[in-house]
Amino acid sequence: MGKDRIYNFSAGPAVLPEEVLREAADEMLNYRGCGMSVMEMSHRSAVFQGILDEAEADLRELMGIPDHYKVLFLQGGASQQFAMIPMNLMKNRVADYIVTGQWSKKAYQEAAKYGKANKIASSEDKTYSYIPDLSDLPISPDADYVYICENNTIYGTKYKKLPDTKGKILVSDVSSCFLSEPVDVEQYGLIYGGVQKNIGPAGMVIVIIREDLISEEVLPGTPTMLTYKTHADAGSLYNTPNCYGIYICGKVFQWLKRRGGLAVMKEYNEKKAKVLYDYLDESRLFSGTVVPEDRSLMNVPFVTGDKDLDAEFVKEAKAAGFENLKGHRTVGGMRASIYNAMPLEGVEALVAFMKDFEQKH
Ligand SMILES: Cc1ncc(COP(=O)(O)O)c(C=O)c1O
């Protein structure tokens, strides 16, 4: 890590690979001899088309995305998908939602504006500290899709296996676990995520959608910009996209390929998370807030059990170069987000600091 950098445990926007930032800095004024920054070039230029094509090809390779899925680079953040999904997929105006945190709750509430949204399972009773039983869900016979948020950024839970949707299309928000491990894309009708956690700068969402789900038949009144077909037909260039965001995401895809791909990232992420979880399990001061079997590899919430001590910890950690450890206001305590770009040394240094803090308190 560069001397001028701190360990950033932010939930998002979050740490990016230093290598990527340095490459982008080198290319800032003159992208590969074209005399201008990527920020300044036309999105219709051959140079930018090359950046977009390469980013898509690398993402397809990393995730093993089959040809009958489209990859869309869109704006509006992950939250815009809360509306775009029902507008495009709710043919019967019925959808089933599994509510495992604030983000799936928001998606569920948004879908209810467009049709009948059924909350078929929830973990709200215990502050979303677990993933509900998925073995025999009351899937609605006329549901257009089943919706999940696969990694719950705020609460630190992760689906370790996908729900049995009884043949219905699975739609998944993977914002906070994007590219953290291999996925079987064909299990899903639609996968999407905001990129500002594991992939790139804020302001962009990637949607991976099965081709047969893209159609002109959307709910009446759906804006052109919120119709998947608009963007699929135009190769994500219907209007001016987030060009610089796409460029940085592309660099992160390349970085992931150089690291060895998603299976290698999964191993690394497991190793990293284990360092922190093992310590939380043995500590007499700190404890994790999630049931062990549903723990996320990406977001690790923990508490001391004393609000004042939590605040003191966050303050002392910041002074020692560990930033953004304050937990979400609805959970309190602390949260360490340890996305792909957080090095093992960062987690080891945090645990050493926590041990020291525990001794002193
Ligand atoms: C899982 C999840 N979904 C959706 C969102 C909302 O993302 P955006 O701010 O891009 O709309 C977030 C943001 O933190 C998130 O963690």
Side-chain angles (χ1 to χ4, degrees):
M1 192 174 72
K3 278 202 205 76
D4 47 349
R5 304 264 297 163
I6 47 87
Y7 287 122
N8 176 12
F9 293 92
S10 170
V15 57
L16 286 171
E18 196 171 312
E19 226 174 287
V20 165
L21 297 176
R22 291 195 188 282
E23 262 178 44
D26 286 346
E27 292 173 349
M28 181 60 78
L29 295 180
N30 180 359
Y31 176 75
R32 299 187 187 172
C34 71
M36 61 178 118
S37 162
V38 174
M39 266 184 261
E40 301 168 299
M41 65 180 58
S42 165
H43 60 298
R44 307 277 172 211
S45 65
V47 181
F48 183 72
Q49 187 67 55
I51 291 172
L52 179 62
D53 291 346
E54 196 174 325
E56 178 174 340
D58 286 338
L59 180 63
R60 283 185 177 277
E61 186 184 329
L62 281 167
M63 290 180 74
I65 301 173
D67 288 346
H68 62 293
Y69 283 75
K70 288 271 187 203
V71 175
L72 310 175
F73 297 101
L74 308 180
Q75 297 173 63
S79 299
Q80 187 156 281
Q81 294 306 308
F82 300 169
M84 209 163 160
I85 288 162
M87 283 173 153
N88 285 264
L89 302 187
M90 248 192 190
K91 312 286 182 203
N92 296 324
R93 298 222 185 209
V94 180
D96 289 346
Y97 279 72
I98 302 179
V99 176
T100 52
Q102 280 200 17
W103 299 113
S104 43
K105 188 175 184 180
K106 281 190 175 160
Y108 159 71
Q109 288 167 336
E110 189 72 10
K113 292 185 174 176
Y114 302 99
K116 191 162 180 292
N118 303 308
K119 194 197 288 182
I120 57 166
S122 166
S123 51
E124 193 166 9
D125 59 336
K126 290 186 183 156
T127 328
Y128 302 116
S129 57
Y130 69 103
I131 298 292
D133 179 12
L134 304 167
S135 53
D136 187 19
L137 293 163
I139 307 283
S140 316
D142 51 352
D144 292 303
Y145 58 87
V146 176
Y147 182 102
I148 61 170
C149 177
E150 210 159 317
N151 187 83
N152 295 282
T153 326
I154 296 173
Y155 303 95
T157 58
K158 164 87 189 350
Y159 284 72
K160 297 292 158 79
K161 71 179 184 45
L162 296 175
D164 176 4
T165 63
K166 302 183 180 170
K168 301 294 180 193
I169 295 158
L170 182 63
V171 172
S172 179
D173 173 358
V174 298
S175 297
S176 49
C177 58
F178 225 156
L179 304 180
S180 63
E181 60 181 28
V183 281
D184 179 2
V185 175
E186 286 190 282
Q187 302 276 325
Y188 306 82
L190 189 154
I191 304 174
Y192 79 94
V195 302
Q196 69 272 24
K197 296 161 197 304
N198 238 351
I199 309 184
M204 205 176 115
V205 58
I206 297 177
V207 175
I208 300 160
I209 178 171
R210 217 173 63 202
E211 256 169 13
D212 62 294
L213 301 176
I214 302 171
S215 91
E216 262 156 16
E217 280 170 49
V218 292
L219 296 188
T222 298
T224 307
M225 273 292 285
L226 298 189
T227 302
Y228 290 125
K229 192 164 192 313
T230 305
H231 301 285
D233 287 352
S236 299
L237 290 170
Y238 170 73
N239 70 325
T240 319
N242 181 345
C243 299
Y244 201 77
I246 292 169
Y247 158 75
I248 298 288
C249 289
K251 285 203 176 297
V252 172
F253 301 152
Q254 295 253 321
W255 176 78
L256 287 167
K257 280 174 60 177
R258 288 197 297 275
R259 296 275 309 246
L262 302 192
V264 173
M265 285 320 296
K266 181 180 190 207
E267 222 174 278
Y268 189 65
N269 288 327
E270 281 173 346
K271 193 167 156 190
K272 248 168 30 186
K274 189 172 184 314
V275 171
L276 187 47
Y277 284 125
D278 280 355
Y279 169 62
L280 290 173
D281 287 343
E282 75 180 39
S283 168
R284 287 210 247 145
L285 179 64
F286 298 102
S287 55
T289 57
V290 168
V291 299
E293 60 274 22
D294 297 329
R295 284 168 166 175
S296 165
L297 294 180
M298 297 282 101
N299 310 99
V300 184
F302 55 95
V303 292
T304 63
D306 173 339
K307 275 191 183 140
D308 294 337
L309 200 53
D310 287 349
E312 181 60 24
F313 175 79
V314 172
K315 193 173 131 207
E316 288 187 27
K318 185 178 166 68
F322 303 98
E323 282 274 357
N324 293 314
L325 280 166
K326 192 169 187 296
H328 191 269
R329 60 190 182 281
T330 60
V331 190
M334 285 70 71
R335 171 179 48 173
S337 294
I338 49 175
Y339 297 120
N340 280 343
M342 171 58 64
L344 176 64
E345 306 83 75
V347 179
E348 285 171 343
L350 173 65
V351 167
F353 177 81
M354 288 167 77
K355 282 183 179 163
D356 197 43
F357 187 88
E358 180 170 354
Q359 286 226 313
K360 282 197 258 160
H361 295 272

Coordinates of all heavy atoms in Angstrom, one line a residue, residues 221-253:
G221 N -46.7 3.3 -19.6 CA -46.1 4.5 -19.0 C -44.7 4.4 -18.7 O -44.0 5.3 -18.2
T222 N -44.1 3.2 -18.9 CA -42.7 3.0 -18.6 C -41.8 3.9 -19.5 O -42.0 3.8 -20.7 CB -42.2 1.5 -18.8 OG1 -43.0 0.7 -17.9 CG2 -40.8 1.3 -18.6
P223 N -41.0 4.8 -18.9 CA -40.2 5.7 -19.8 C -39.2 4.9 -20.7 O -38.8 3.8 -20.3 CB -39.4 6.5 -18.8 CG -40.2 6.4 -17.5 CD -40.8 5.0 -17.5
T224 N -38.9 5.5 -21.8 CA -38.0 4.8 -22.8 C -36.7 4.5 -22.0 O -36.1 3.4 -22.2 CB -37.7 5.9 -23.9 OG1 -38.9 6.3 -24.4 CG2 -36.8 5.3 -25.0
M225 N -36.2 5.4 -21.2 CA -34.9 5.2 -20.5 C -35.0 4.1 -19.5 O -33.9 3.6 -19.0 CB -34.5 6.5 -19.8 CG -33.7 7.5 -20.7 SD -32.1 6.9 -21.1 CE -31.2 7.1 -19.6
L226 N -36.2 3.7 -19.1 CA -36.3 2.7 -18.0 C -36.7 1.4 -18.6 O -37.2 0.5 -17.9 CB -37.3 3.1 -16.9 CG -36.9 4.4 -16.2 CD1 -37.8 4.6 -14.9 CD2 -35.4 4.3 -15.7
T227 N -36.6 1.3 -20.0 CA -37.0 0.0 -20.7 C -35.7 -0.7 -21.0 O -34.8 -0.1 -21.7 CB -37.8 0.4 -21.9 OG1 -38.9 1.1 -21.5 CG2 -38.2 -0.9 -22.7
Y228 N -35.5 -1.9 -20.6 CA -34.2 -2.7 -20.8 C -34.0 -2.7 -22.3 O -32.8 -2.6 -22.8 CB -34.3 -4.1 -20.2 CG -34.2 -4.1 -18.7 CD1 -35.2 -4.8 -18.0 CD2 -33.2 -3.5 -18.0 CE1 -35.1 -4.8 -16.6 CE2 -33.1 -3.5 -16.7 CZ -34.1 -4.2 -16.0 OH -34.0 -4.2 -14.6
K229 N -35.0 -2.9 -23.1 CA -34.8 -3.1 -24.6 C -34.1 -1.9 -25.2 O -33.3 -2.1 -26.1 CB -36.2 -3.3 -25.3 CG -36.0 -3.8 -26.7 CD -37.3 -4.4 -27.2 CE -37.1 -5.1 -28.5 NZ -36.4 -4.5 -29.5
T230 N -34.4 -0.7 -24.7 CA -33.8 0.5 -25.2 C -32.3 0.4 -25.2 O -31.6 0.7 -26.1 CB -34.2 1.7 -24.4 OG1 -35.6 1.8 -24.3 CG2 -33.6 3.0 -24.9
H231 N -31.8 0.0 -24.0 CA -30.4 -0.1 -23.8 C -29.7 -1.3 -24.4 O -28.6 -1.3 -24.9 CB -30.1 0.0 -22.3 CG -30.6 1.2 -21.6 ND1 -30.0 2.4 -21.8 CD2 -31.8 1.4 -20.9 CE1 -30.8 3.4 -21.2 NE2 -31.8 2.8 -20.6
A232 N -30.5 -2.4 -24.4 CA -30.0 -3.7 -25.0 C -29.8 -3.4 -26.5 O -28.8 -3.8 -27.1 CB -30.9 -4.8 -24.8
D233 N -30.8 -2.8 -27.2 CA -30.7 -2.6 -28.6 C -29.6 -1.6 -29.0 O -29.0 -1.7 -30.1 CB -32.0 -2.0 -29.1 CG -33.1 -3.1 -29.2 OD1 -32.8 -4.2 -28.9 OD2 -34.3 -2.7 -29.4
A234 N -29.3 -0.7 -28.1 CA -28.3 0.3 -28.4 C -26.9 0.0 -27.8 O -26.0 0.8 -27.8 CB -28.8 1.7 -27.8
G235 N -26.7 -1.2 -27.3 CA -25.4 -1.6 -26.7 C -25.0 -0.7 -25.6 O -23.8 -0.3 -25.6
S236 N -25.9 -0.3 -24.7 CA -25.6 0.6 -23.6 C -25.2 2.0 -24.1 O -24.7 2.8 -23.3 CB -24.5 0.0 -22.7 OG -24.9 -1.2 -22.1
L237 N -25.5 2.3 -25.3 CA -25.2 3.7 -25.8 C -26.4 4.4 -26.4 O -26.3 5.1 -27.4 CB -24.1 3.5 -26.9 CG -22.7 3.2 -26.5 CD1 -21.8 2.9 -27.7 CD2 -22.1 4.2 -25.6
Y238 N -27.6 4.1 -25.8 CA -28.8 4.9 -26.2 C -28.6 6.4 -26.0 O -28.9 7.2 -26.8 CB -30.0 4.4 -25.4 CG -31.2 5.2 -25.7 CD1 -31.9 5.2 -26.9 CD2 -31.7 6.1 -24.7 CE1 -33.0 6.0 -27.1 CE2 -32.8 6.9 -24.9 CZ -33.4 6.8 -26.1 OH -34.5 7.6 -26.3
N239 N -28.1 6.7 -24.8 CA -27.7 8.0 -24.5 C -26.2 8.0 -24.0 O -25.6 7.0 -24.1 CB -28.6 8.7 -23.5 CG -28.5 8.1 -22.1 OD1 -28.2 6.9 -21.9 ND2 -28.6 8.9 -21.1
T240 N -25.8 9.1 -23.5 CA -24.4 9.2 -23.1 C -24.2 8.4 -21.8 O -24.9 8.7 -20.8 CB -24.0 10.7 -22.8 OG1 -24.5 11.5 -23.8 CG2 -22.4 10.8 -22.7
P241 N -23.5 7.3 -21.8 CA -23.3 6.5 -20.6 C -22.3 7.2 -19.6 O -21.7 8.2 -19.9 CB -22.8 5.2 -21.1 CG -22.0 5.6 -22.3 CD -22.6 6.8 -22.9
N242 N -22.1 6.5 -18.5 CA -21.1 6.9 -17.6 C -19.7 6.4 -18.1 O -19.2 5.4 -17.7 CB -21.4 6.4 -16.2 CG -20.3 6.8 -15.1 OD1 -19.3 7.3 -15.5 ND2 -20.7 6.6 -13.9
C243 N -19.2 7.2 -19.0 CA -18.0 6.7 -19.8 C -16.8 6.5 -18.9 O -16.2 5.4 -19.0 CB -17.6 7.8 -20.8 SG -18.8 8.1 -22.0
Y244 N -16.6 7.4 -18.0 CA -15.4 7.2 -17.1 C -15.6 6.0 -16.1 O -14.7 5.3 -15.8 CB -15.1 8.5 -16.3 CG -13.6 8.5 -15.8 CD1 -12.6 8.8 -16.7 CD2 -13.4 8.2 -14.5 CE1 -11.3 8.7 -16.3 CE2 -12.0 8.2 -14.1 CZ -11.0 8.4 -15.0 OH -9.7 8.4 -14.6
G245 N -16.8 5.9 -15.7 CA -17.2 4.7 -14.8 C -16.9 3.4 -15.5 O -16.3 2.5 -15.0
I246 N -17.3 3.3 -16.8 CA -17.1 2.1 -17.5 C -15.6 1.8 -17.7 O -15.2 0.7 -17.6 CB -17.9 2.2 -18.9 CG1 -19.4 2.2 -18.7 CG2 -17.4 1.1 -19.9 CD1 -20.2 2.6 -20.0
Y247 N -14.9 2.9 -17.9 CA -13.4 2.7 -18.1 C -12.8 2.2 -16.9 O -12.0 1.2 -16.9 CB -12.9 4.1 -18.5 CG -11.5 4.4 -18.3 CD1 -10.5 3.9 -19.1 CD2 -11.1 5.3 -17.2 CE1 -9.1 4.2 -18.9 CE2 -9.7 5.6 -17.0 CZ -8.8 5.1 -17.9 OH -7.5 5.4 -17.7
I248 N -13.1 2.7 -15.7 CA -12.5 2.2 -14.4 C -13.0 0.8 -14.2 O -12.2 -0.1 -13.8 CB -12.9 3.2 -13.2 CG1 -12.3 4.6 -13.5 CG2 -12.3 2.6 -11.9 CD1 -10.8 4.7 -13.4
C249 N -14.3 0.5 -14.4 CA -14.8 -0.9 -14.2 C -14.0 -1.8 -15.0 O -13.6 -2.9 -14.6 CB -16.3 -1.0 -14.5 SG -17.3 -0.2 -13.3
G250 N -13.7 -1.4 -16.3 CA -12.9 -2.2 -17.2 C -11.6 -2.5 -16.6 O -11.0 -3.6 -16.8
K251 N -11.0 -1.5 -16.0 CA -9.6 -1.7 -15.4 C -9.7 -2.7 -14.3 O -8.8 -3.5 -14.0 CB -9.0 -0.4 -15.0 CG -8.6 0.5 -16.1 CD -7.5 1.5 -15.6 CE -7.0 2.3 -16.7 NZ -6.3 1.5 -17.7
V252 N -10.8 -2.6 -13.5 CA -10.9 -3.5 -12.4 C -11.1 -5.0 -12.9 O -10.6 -5.9 -12.3 CB -12.1 -3.1 -11.4 CG1 -12.3 -4.1 -10.3 CG2 -11.7 -1.8 -10.7
F253 N -11.9 -5.1 -14.0 CA -12.0 -6.4 -14.6 C -10.7 -7.0 -15.0 O -10.4 -8.2 -14.7 CB -13.0 -6.4 -15.8 CG -14.4 -5.9 -15.5 CD1 -15.1 -5.3 -16.5 CD2 -14.9 -6.0 -14.3 CE1 -16.4 -4.8 -16.3 CE2 -16.2 -5.5 -14.0 CZ -16.9 -4.9 -15.1

